[in-house]
């Protein structure tokens, strides 16, 4: 489940604002639906292709335009294991590094995106040439491509005999297609569970009301933007969410940043801690608002949860409790300093069950909950106050009870829960992005500025090397 919580926003927003924005959100609902082409993604095909790539190699090198989506999914779902994933930037240092780290190791290559960037195409060509030079007597490597019908990448893939995974569209909304999911599938991640979570959230996002978390998030962002808060800081204390933060920043910047409009999205990663942007948020210009992203759900106190088995020097429940209270302290400090604050919680079914059990046994969360859905059901809970859509989160909202701790889930169930929750979060952000762009009256799919860059780079390369180096159909 995905929850959107607001922290004392009544002083920043008009009361009420839902009545004015509801009809507008209803009109732009179709733009958000355009990002749902991933429903055609076939998890069985992804699993089969991923298994073939994994069986024939020890590493996968993913190359394409952007690549932040594939990196975000793999970063959250894939950790450890013998099969290695690489997402090199199209620069010479990255090429040297990936070749050095895969020396003597059979590798596979995955190509995705429209491949409009001449720099990315040149990098791919140099990579394939280098891999071919390693093995002049046999095939250089296995290559798979996620391509849109009629694009140059599809032509190249067919002419070179690469394995093809068709995708409905390429671009910033492709994270839930083969372009974003194949590397994780090749590493053995539970793609079926992820897509199931995304499908469940899509059903929720199609609800044309403020019970829909995407409506709530898009509306809050838009109203804060109208009142001069032109920068959104998305922060997370979880290192495994850094890829998701990078993808979110690129998603919203690319969808909204045009026609002189749009919030500036800023990803505040775990490594920076409260010291990164904390000082500016406290005393800098009043142009920001902060959204805290918490993956896994509100954490219980160490007194209301059975400790997990592990080394005595790793008291996980106490450390989780410390992280939760650190987040609440930041929210409180920033809000009191005049920074509007939101929190997005992506909660697994397991965490929802634990919270429901804790609530039934005396663990009580403070706040005025207008909507609370059943544990384990995909949905949204908004902590609200009155009619304004503003709510209050307070430090120390969890108190200990006498309930019996739920036994830990098997590892395979935890992995499936993790993947399902990630799918819900990614679908939520995509849908909310489409709504948000619609409120600004901009086309979220438009990428005219990038096309200008691509044409300029292509022209520079052609003038440097001569017209005879211009690639034809079926060539990189």
């Amino acid at each position: 489940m995905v929850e959107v919580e607001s922290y004392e926003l009544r002083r920043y927003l008009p009361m009420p604002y839902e009545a004015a924005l509801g009809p507008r959100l209803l009109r732009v609902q179709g733009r958000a639906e355009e990002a749902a082409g991933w429903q055609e993604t076939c998890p069985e095909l992804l699993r089969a292709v991923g298994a073939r790539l994994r069986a024939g190699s020890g590493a996968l090198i993913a190359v394409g335009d952007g690549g932040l989506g594939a990196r975000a999914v793999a970063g959250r779902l894939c950790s450890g294991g013998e099969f290695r994933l690489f997402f090199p930037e199209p620069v010479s240092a990255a090429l040297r590094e990936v070749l050095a780290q895969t020396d003597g190791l059979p590798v596979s290559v995955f190509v995705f995106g429209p491949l409009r960037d001449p720099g990315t195409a040149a990098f791919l060509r140099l990579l394939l040439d280098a891999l071919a030079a390693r093995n002049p007597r046999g095939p250089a490597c296995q290559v798979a491509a996620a391509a849109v019908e009629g694009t140059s990448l599809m032509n190249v893939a067919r002419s070179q005999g690469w394995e093809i995974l068709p995708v409905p569209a390429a671009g910033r909304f492709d994270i839930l297609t083969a372009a974003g999911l194949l590397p994780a599938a090749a590493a053995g991640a539970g793609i079926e569970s992820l897509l199931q979570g995304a499908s469940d959230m899509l059903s929720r996002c199609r609800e044309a009301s403020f019970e829909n978390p995407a409506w709530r998030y898009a509306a809050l962002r838009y109203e804060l933007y109208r009142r001069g808060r032109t920068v959104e800081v998305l922060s997370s204390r979880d290192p495994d969410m850094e890829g998701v933060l990078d993808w979110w920043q690129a998603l919203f910047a690319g969808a909204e940043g045009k026609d002189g409009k749009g919030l500036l999205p800023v990803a505040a990663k775990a490594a920076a801690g409260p010291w990164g942007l904390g000082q500016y948020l406290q005393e800098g210009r009043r142009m920001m608002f902060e959204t805290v992203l918490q993956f896994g759900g509100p954490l219980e106190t160490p007194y209301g949860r059975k400790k997990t088995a592990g080394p005595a020097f790793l008291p996980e429940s106490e450390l989780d409790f410390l992280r939760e209270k650190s987040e609440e302290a930041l929210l409180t400090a920033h809000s009191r300093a005049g920074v509007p604050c939101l929190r997005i919680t992506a909660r697994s079914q397991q965490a929802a069950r634990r919270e429901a059990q804790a609530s039934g046994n005396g663990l009580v969360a403070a706040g005025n909950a207008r909507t609370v859905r059943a544990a384990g059901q995909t949905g949204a809970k908004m902590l609200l106050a009155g009619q304004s859509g503003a709510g209050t989160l307070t430090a120390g909202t969890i108190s200990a009870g006498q309930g019996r701790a739920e036994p830990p889930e098997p590892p395979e169930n935890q992995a499936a829960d993790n993947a399902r929750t990630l799918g819900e979060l990614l679908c939520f952000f995509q849908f909310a992005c489409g709504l948000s762009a619609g409120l600004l009256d901009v086309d979220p799919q438009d990428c005219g500025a990038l096309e200008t860059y691509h044409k300029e780079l292509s022209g520079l390369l052609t003038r440097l090397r001569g017209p005879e180096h211009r690639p034809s159909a079926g060539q990189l």
Side-chain angles (χ1 to χ4, degrees), residues 123-186:
F123 180 87
L124 176 60
R125 184 177 64 251
L126 292 171
L127 172 66
L128 294 176
D129 289 347
L131 295 175
R134 285 182 176 178
N135 188 19
R137 297 184 179 180
C141 59
Q142 300 181 85
V143 183
V148 180
E149 191 63 51
T151 61
S152 58
L153 177 56
M154 180 65 83
N155 296 333
V156 171
R158 284 183 173 140
S159 68
Q160 299 295 323
W162 298 345
E163 185 150 17
I164 297 174
L165 296 97
V167 293
R172 59 181 56 97
F173 290 100
D174 66 358
I175 191 171
L176 293 171
T177 70
L181 300 181
L182 183 65

Side-chain angles (χ1 to χ4, degrees), residues 53-54 56-61 82-86 98 101-102 105-109 142:
L53 296 177
R54 184 170 62 251
S57 61
L60 177 71
I61 305 172
E82 297 181 357
F83 190 77
R84 304 179 65 185
L85 299 175
F86 295 90
V98 74
Q101 293 194 36
T102 59
L105 190 69
V107 301
S108 300
V109 175
Q142 300 181 85

Side-chain angles (χ1 to χ4, degrees), residues 13 19 30 52 81 113 122-123 171 184 187 207 212 230 246 266 272 288 324-325 347 371-372 375 402 417 423:
L13 301 179
R52 284 196 290 272
F123 180 87
E207 183 178 344
N212 174 349
T230 57
D246 288 336
V266 175
M288 295 182 173
E324 178 190 358
K325 294 311 171 187
R347 178 184 321 204
T371 303
V372 181
Q402 303 299 321
D417 237 11

Side-chain angles (χ1 to χ4, degrees), residues 6-342:
S6 56
Y7 195 107
E8 294 290 359
L9 290 186
R10 282 171 290 186
R11 50 182 159 157
Y12 303 108
L13 301 179
M15 298 186 295
Y17 63 87
E18 292 100 327
L21 281 186
R24 294 190 60 185
L25 284 165
L26 186 60
R27 286 196 299 270
V28 301
Q29 187 89 339
R31 290 194 176 184
E33 289 278 356
E34 293 175 1
W38 54 265
Q39 286 187 297
E40 302 172 14
T41 301
C42 177
E44 293 80 14
L45 176 60
L46 287 174
R47 186 173 62 248
V49 174
R52 284 196 290 272
L53 296 177
R54 184 170 62 251
S57 61
L60 177 71
I61 305 172
V63 179
D65 296 335
L68 294 176
R71 188 179 303 166
V73 174
R76 181 67 237 187
L77 298 184
C78 308
S79 59
E82 297 181 357
F83 190 77
R84 304 179 65 185
L85 299 175
F86 295 90
F87 302 89
E89 295 294 328
V91 294
S92 58
L95 179 61
R96 288 194 298 269
E97 181 178 357
V98 74
L99 290 174
Q101 293 194 36
T102 59
D103 190 25
L105 190 69
V107 301
S108 300
V109 175
F110 175 54
V111 189
F112 56 92
L115 220 61
R116 295 192 186 100
D117 189 338
T120 303
F123 180 87
L124 176 60
R125 184 177 64 251
L126 292 171
L127 172 66
L128 294 176
D129 289 347
L131 295 175
R134 285 182 176 178
N135 188 19
R137 297 184 179 180
C141 59
Q142 300 181 85
V143 183
V148 180
E149 191 63 51
T151 61
S152 58
L153 177 56
M154 180 65 83
N155 296 333
V156 171
R158 284 183 173 140
S159 68
Q160 299 295 323
W162 298 345
E163 185 150 17
I164 297 174
L165 296 97
V167 293
R172 59 181 56 97
F173 290 100
D174 66 358
I175 191 171
L176 293 171
T177 70
L181 300 181
L182 183 65
I191 299 304
E192 294 90 344
S193 297
L194 184 145
L195 287 172
Q196 182 60 55
S199 180
D200 292 343
M201 178 53 65
L202 181 59
S203 298
R204 190 77 188 103
C205 288
R206 282 173 169 160
E207 183 178 344
S209 76
F210 282 97
E211 299 297 318
N212 174 349
W215 269 45
R216 178 68 58 188
Y217 182 51
L220 290 172
R221 296 179 82 250
Y222 180 71
E223 288 297 333
L224 289 169
Y225 170 71
R226 288 183 61 211
R227 279 152 182 78
R229 302 289 173 161
T230 57
V231 179
E232 179 181 11
V233 177
L234 183 69
S235 61
S236 173
R237 304 299 300 277
D238 186 347
D240 289 339
M241 294 303 290
E242 290 188 358
V244 174
L245 296 185
D246 288 336
W247 168 78
W248 167 88
Q249 180 174 267
L251 174 70
F252 278 87
E256 294 185 332
K258 55 202 70 168
D259 299 340
K261 302 176 183 178
L263 279 159
L264 173 63
V266 175
K269 300 182 183 179
W275 305 275
L277 292 173
Q279 175 62 39
Y280 197 100
L281 284 163
Q282 288 288 117
E283 298 183 356
R285 292 185 60 192
R286 303 292 84 182
M287 61 183 182
M288 295 182 173
F289 69 93
E290 182 178 18
T291 302
V292 174
L293 174 60
Q294 187 180 78
F295 190 91
L299 302 167
E300 302 91 336
T301 68
Y303 310 104
R305 172 171 131 187
K306 181 180 179 180
K307 294 182 181 180
T308 57
F313 59 84
L314 188 61
E316 294 183 10
S317 58
E318 284 82 355
L319 291 177
D320 287 346
F321 182 61
L322 176 62
R323 186 191 69 174
E324 178 190 358
K325 294 311 171 187
S326 175
E327 289 176 350
E328 290 190 1
L330 284 175
L331 282 167
T332 301
H334 295 167
S335 178
R336 289 176 179 173
V339 177
C341 293
L342 311 174

